[in-house]
Amino acid sequence: MKDNEILIKPVVKRNGLTFSFLGSLGVVAGISLFLFGSEFFAPGIVCFALGAIALVLGFSKLAEPEVSLKLTNEGFTYFHRRGQVSVAWENVQRIDQPRVTQGIDTIALPYIGVKVKHMSPVLEVISLRLAAGLLTEQRPLLMTASTQEEDLSVLENQMSAEFTPFIEDNDRFKGVLAMFGHRSRLLGSHLGYHLYISTDALDRPANEFIALMNQCKHSQVA
């Protein structure tokens, strides 16, 4: 680890090799039971199905980056299997865990929310593959936002704007970047944050990570 640099290794990455190994054994055992005769067909199906599930889960864990976040003096970088994006501390307005109301209860969402001052610096550095991937992954957040909006026509109008250029100050973005900019702005107006990091990408409880990020933001990783 370099000086003034904190690396976060995701919990979801753990046990990837174990799941892959056990999954391979399950698939092989299932195929072997098929070959032994029809009386072993049922247990063979069970072994093969469980093995396939474990194998897919193991491969998905191994596909995740070794480091999910890097905190430095300048800001933080979020690493995703589809790409990465960096955000300067000076562009961060607030970091917390987004919460929504459900009846009389307040529910914390499994994300770290980052409210930025300007989206243009983010759109300038985010990879196109990551922007496209996050648009898909954030659909549950979009559905959550819809449950918080009493007048759904407002949300529908904001969603229709995703297909238009995203303009901020003198910057203009088109295509996927425009869609991601509009989506971030929409989520910011309904859930309070523009960027969302899944808690699966963390190596500690959400409240501890939020405290760490705020400490880094205010002290610039002393």
Side-chain angles (χ1 to χ4, degrees), residues 128-194:
L128 291 177
R129 289 185 67 247
L130 177 56
L134 291 179
L135 283 171
T136 301
E137 292 181 7
Q138 289 178 351
R139 285 175 183 170
L141 283 171
L142 195 61
M143 297 301 296
T144 300
S146 69
T147 64
Q148 304 298 300
E149 179 59 60
E150 295 182 359
D151 186 359
L152 291 180
S153 63
V154 174
L155 183 65
E156 291 172 354
N157 291 333
Q158 290 178 321
M159 289 179 63
S160 65
E162 291 187 356
F163 301 97
T164 64
F166 180 87
I167 301 173
E168 186 178 73
D169 298 329
N170 295 323
D171 297 314
R172 183 185 180 94
F173 301 89
K174 297 181 179 180
V176 173
L177 293 181
M179 293 181 67
F180 184 72
H182 284 298
R183 177 70 60 81
S184 298
R185 182 179 287 174
L186 184 153
L187 293 176
S189 64
H190 291 274
L191 298 180
Y193 303 91
H194 301 99

